[in-house]
Amino acid sequence: MKLARNDPSLPMYNTDVSRGHTFRRIRARAKHWFTTRSVLFKLCITFFVLFFIFLLVKISSRGSTKTVSTIEINEEPIIINEQIIGGPDKKKIEDEKKNNKEDPPDEIDKQIVEEKMRSDDVVKFSGPTNDRQNAVVKAFKHAWKGYKDFAWGHDTLKPISKSFSDWFDTGLTIVDGLDTAIIMGLHQEAEEATEWIQNTLNFEKDRLVNFFECTIRVLGGMMSAFHLTGNKMFLDKSVDLGDRLLSAFKSPSPIPYSDVNLKKRTATNPQWGSDSSLSEVTTVQLEYRALSRASGNSTYEDLAFNVSKHIHKIGCESHEGLCGMFINANTGQFKKGSTITFGARSDSYYEYLFKQWIQTGKSIDWLKEDYGKAMTAMEKYLYRNSEPKKMYFVGELLSGETYSPKMDHLVCFIAGTLSHGAQNGFPKKHLEMAETIGETCHNMYNNPTGLGPEIAHFNMIPGKEDLYVKPLDAHCLLRPEAIEAWFYLYRFTGDKKYQEWGWAAFEAIEKYARISTGGYSSISNVKKINVQYRDSMESFLLGETMKYLYLLLADDQTILPLDQWVFTTEGHPLPIYDH
């Protein structure tokens, strides 16, 4: 039955009774009812009342605060060789718990970089200061224009056919050449590259890329641009790429696989076999260390440096520190009977032993020791001279046993590394060796075109010419290693002959490799003046060759001082740390 509001059976609503009298009567009846109950019943009633009040207070406090919706991220971390990649940001959680505690080392590195980027220490470049430098800048712009007109956004220019080719589909020429444009003071070209990297470059590429080449050209190029400009976009892109490339370390050993699918984040051995090249697995450490120090994530440095530690641990004792060119990613062991060389597939292993020691503030003694040991062994087993003019070169041990008087153009890098080492505590003899090898590299350019061949052979028996080039080795990719060596030698000796050698090489490039419609082309035979073009302009022409020419020919040799910057194997300058 539903009662009306003024029903007489509801005393409190009876309007015939005064309001105050009604409430007193209700209170009296309630008190009488409560006092006549048992003690246990009274306790129960009291408990429920208090509990009800507690619930009301709790609900009120929730309602008075701002409601925040949270998204729970359930991203499982990936564990590679005991290193955790991805997953919840445990470091951030720990930092929030330690608000007033000292920052961890990685965070300190990150703060140092951020402070450097905010300060006046960001490198400023004034542009060319003499006619020769101006000529190199003009050549760079000619190469850039050809690439922009016919290949923009693709990996490399094909200047003869006015088209392009793609290896990784990551705009290699743009990323590899950007820091050269910055150093030359080419603001327009640098802005064009920066805009493309920021707005167009992405790494969702369902294709295999070479772990080593992608690291030194793309990751190294962006990290160098970050440190030269302070633009954090380059660091963010580097982190994205670095995360994808770390898939190479999903191998059973500390040795990474050679090829990575950037989109699927999977990795595999090279198509031609089960082994990785020594130089490829040991020449990513400078780049990944720089990425770790700038991002505050030590994973990159740890995984890359584990490779160096592994090589150090298993050693190369059969030739006193000289290692074979192949190592297996599955077993972590060197391939037996592989060639020992300072050329292709091994070269930059030795370079990065020294440069890692420099990059870490000379704080890791075994890097210095392994490098010094290898140089001593190189002198013992590989360093020889030709006849009759005594040209000194670095040969090879085929299958680890048979000496071959053959030297790749790539080997010219060692003249720069030896001279650099001589300035940092290694024997004076290293500078003397560097000078003799640097001169031999100059002799390799002594041919009808004045360009350097890919490979040279040497006579060690009197009565023949000292140096000769086989037809299949006579092509020229416009490589940088000889010019790189002369750059270091000029920095450390001040001998202007190195500038003259570099200028002569540049003039040969202009005369025989320049394509009038834009760009430069590799050529098929340096011994023929009627050149045949290979229709390819490698990204390292802009990333290294023209950069080293520009720096070699500079009036001011304090640009990018070598006690503050270390150049990667792809010619990208990165900062030196104190640890």
Side-chain angles (χ1 to χ4, degrees):
M1 182 178 67
K2 193 174 183 178
L3 301 176
R5 180 179 174 83
N6 60 351
D7 194 290
S9 64
L10 297 176
M12 66 181 299
Y13 292 117
N14 193 333
T15 55
D16 295 333
V17 184
S18 66
R19 185 176 182 85
H21 177 73
T22 299
F23 280 107
R24 285 195 296 273
R25 185 171 61 180
I26 292 172
R27 188 167 59 249
R29 287 182 178 180
K31 182 177 181 181
H32 173 74
W33 178 85
F34 188 79
T35 55
T36 58
R37 305 298 115 181
S38 67
V39 175
L40 180 62
F41 185 84
K42 291 177 182 179
L43 289 173
C44 290
I45 292 296
T46 302
F47 173 80
F48 282 115
V49 170
L50 292 174
F51 182 73
F52 183 72
I53 293 171
F54 172 79
L55 288 178
L56 288 176
V57 172
K58 195 73 174 175
I59 293 171
S60 298
S61 64
R62 286 185 177 179
S64 63
T65 59
K66 182 178 179 180
T67 303
V68 180
S69 62
T70 59
I71 300 174
E72 184 176 349
I73 299 174
N74 187 26
E75 182 182 348
E76 292 296 325
I78 301 172
I79 301 177
I80 301 177
N81 293 332
E82 303 182 355
Q83 298 287 333
I84 299 176
I85 302 173
D89 192 344
K90 294 182 178 180
K91 181 179 181 301
K92 184 176 180 181
I93 295 171
E94 289 298 320
D95 287 347
E96 290 174 353
K97 290 180 180 180
K98 303 176 183 176
N99 282 330
N100 298 320
K101 293 187 178 181
E102 184 178 355
D103 291 332
D106 289 336
E107 189 63 27
I108 292 173
D109 285 334
K110 186 176 179 181
Q111 290 172 0
I112 291 172
V113 171
E114 289 175 348
E115 288 170 6
K116 174 180 173 59
M117 293 302 104
R118 290 194 298 265
S119 73
D120 293 332
D121 291 336
V122 176
V123 185
K124 296 179 175 63
F125 300 96
S126 58
T129 59
N130 59 57
D131 291 342
R132 288 182 172 184
Q133 271 196 314
N134 272 310
V136 176
V137 170
K138 185 178 178 181
F140 180 93
K141 295 178 72 172
H142 180 74
W144 189 267
K145 183 181 183 302
Y147 172 77
K148 185 178 178 182
D149 288 346
F150 306 118
W152 186 253
H154 296 279
D155 283 344
T156 55
L157 168 67
K158 299 176 74 174
I160 305 301
S161 57
K162 301 177 184 176
S163 60
F164 56 81
S165 63
D166 280 315
W167 188 14
F168 304 153
D169 193 18
T170 56
L172 281 182
T173 298
I174 296 174
V175 186
D176 214 2
L178 171 56
D179 62 352
T180 303
I182 294 169
I183 291 168
M184 289 180 172
L186 293 175
H187 301 296
Q188 179 180 333
E189 287 77 4
E191 288 172 5
E192 290 170 350
T194 300
E195 182 180 357
W196 185 85
I197 292 171
Q198 179 169 343
N199 299 326
T200 305
L201 177 61
N202 75 84
F203 302 112
E204 282 289 300
K205 311 293 184 182
D206 190 9
R207 64 195 300 166
L208 287 173
V209 303
N210 181 272
F211 169 59
F212 159 72
E213 293 286 359
C214 197
T215 297
I216 66 172
R217 299 195 196 205
V218 186
L219 181 63
M222 292 192 299
M223 285 305 301
S224 181
F226 166 66
H227 282 289
L228 293 176
T229 67
N231 187 337
K232 190 174 180 294
M233 178 273 295
F234 294 120
L235 176 59
D236 294 337
K237 291 279 187 177
S238 297
V239 168
D240 181 19
L241 177 59
D243 287 345
R244 296 169 189 269
L245 288 173
L246 284 185
S247 302
F249 290 96
K250 295 178 182 178
S251 61
S253 77
I255 302 301
Y257 290 123
S258 68
D259 297 331
V260 175
N261 185 301
L262 293 179
K263 182 176 182 179
K264 296 178 181 178
R265 305 191 185 209
T266 56
T268 184
N269 286 317
Q271 296 180 355
W272 47 264
S274 61
D275 297 308
S276 296
S277 299
L278 173 65
S279 59
E280 293 188 356
V281 302
T282 57
T283 314
V284 297
Q285 286 71 22
L286 297 187
E287 292 82 356
Y288 277 110
R289 181 171 290 110
L291 181 57
S292 277
R293 303 294 177 98
S295 68
N297 183 351
S298 64
T299 300
Y300 311 109
E301 179 175 0
D302 291 344
L303 285 175
F305 195 40
N306 279 348
V307 181
S308 300
K309 291 178 180 177
H310 179 73
I311 301 296
H312 170 70
K313 180 179 179 181
I314 64 176
C316 301
E317 295 306 318
S318 62
H319 289 87
E320 302 171 38
L322 299 180
C323 301
M325 60 165 46
F326 293 119
I327 189 166
N328 192 287
N330 294 317
T331 65
Q333 298 298 313
F334 281 102
K335 181 179 180 179
K336 293 183 179 180
S338 58
T339 294
I340 293 174
T341 177
F342 273 62
R345 304 194 182 282
S346 294
D347 49 355
S348 45
Y349 161 65
Y350 304 102
E351 177 186 3
Y352 269 36
L353 280 178
F354 173 74
K355 288 184 175 178
Q356 282 194 83
W357 178 63
I358 291 292
Q359 186 191 31
T360 53
K362 306 178 185 178
S363 61
I364 304 175
D365 291 339
W366 64 262
L367 287 170
K368 176 184 178 182
E369 292 164 2
D370 283 6
Y371 169 75
K373 183 177 180 181
M375 293 306 101
T376 300
M378 179 268 284
E379 182 181 11
K380 176 179 178 180
Y381 290 104
L382 306 179
Y383 183 62
R384 299 287 185 270
N385 64 269
S386 67
E387 293 293 343
K389 297 180 181 178
K390 309 293 184 186
M391 295 182 187
Y392 284 86
F393 63 95
V394 180
E396 300 179 345
L397 286 179
L398 303 179
S399 301
E401 297 178 357
T402 306
Y403 188 80
S404 171
K406 160 187 171 289
M407 189 170 91
D408 296 356
H409 187 280
L410 289 167
V411 178
C412 291
F413 88 90
I414 196 61
T417 306
L418 283 167
S419 62
H420 199 177
Q423 299 299 308
N424 287 275
F426 284 93
K428 182 180 178 181
K429 178 172 59 175
H430 283 198
L431 179 59
E432 296 169 357
M433 293 170 65
E435 291 176 316
T436 59
I437 296 170
E439 184 169 4
T440 297
C441 292
H442 171 57
N443 290 330
M444 290 171 67
Y445 283 67
N446 185 17
N447 58 60
T449 62
L451 295 170
E454 186 72 357
I455 299 171
H457 291 76
F458 297 87
N459 286 311
M460 301 177 69
I461 302 173
K464 297 182 179 181
E465 289 294 323
D466 290 74
L467 181 156
Y468 65 98
V469 178
K470 297 180 179 180
L472 293 179
D473 302 329
H475 56 285
C476 174
L477 304 182
L478 308 180
R479 288 192 182 276
E481 287 78 20
I483 298 165
E484 172 189 358
W486 303 333
F487 158 71
Y488 282 102
L489 284 163
Y490 181 60
R491 277 275 173 110
F492 299 131
T493 68
D495 191 334
K496 290 190 176 294
K497 73 180 180 184
Y498 299 115
Q499 286 187 320
E500 297 304 318
W501 293 352
W503 178 247
F506 172 74
E507 288 186 312
I509 292 172
E510 283 293 291
K511 184 174 182 179
Y512 293 105
R514 187 179 190 273
I515 306 303
S516 60
T517 53
Y520 294 79
S521 178
S522 303
I523 68 171
S524 297
N525 194 325
V526 298
K527 298 188 291 185
K528 295 181 178 180
I529 294 178
N530 295 323
V531 298
Q532 292 182 331
Y533 297 110
R534 294 167 66 96
D535 196 18
S536 176
M537 186 178 80
E538 297 284 348
S539 70
F540 55 67
L541 174 67
L542 281 72
E544 295 184 83
T545 306
M546 291 192 178
K547 180 187 289 127
Y548 283 124
L549 277 168
Y550 180 82
L551 294 173
L552 168 62
L553 298 171
D555 297 320
D556 181 7
Q557 287 297 313
T558 64
I559 300 172
L560 296 170
L562 297 176
D563 59 349
Q564 298 176 30
W565 298 87
V566 58
F567 284 82
T568 70
T569 196
E570 190 69 9
H572 298 303
L574 296 173
I576 291 174
Y577 306 100
D578 61 4
H579 65 290

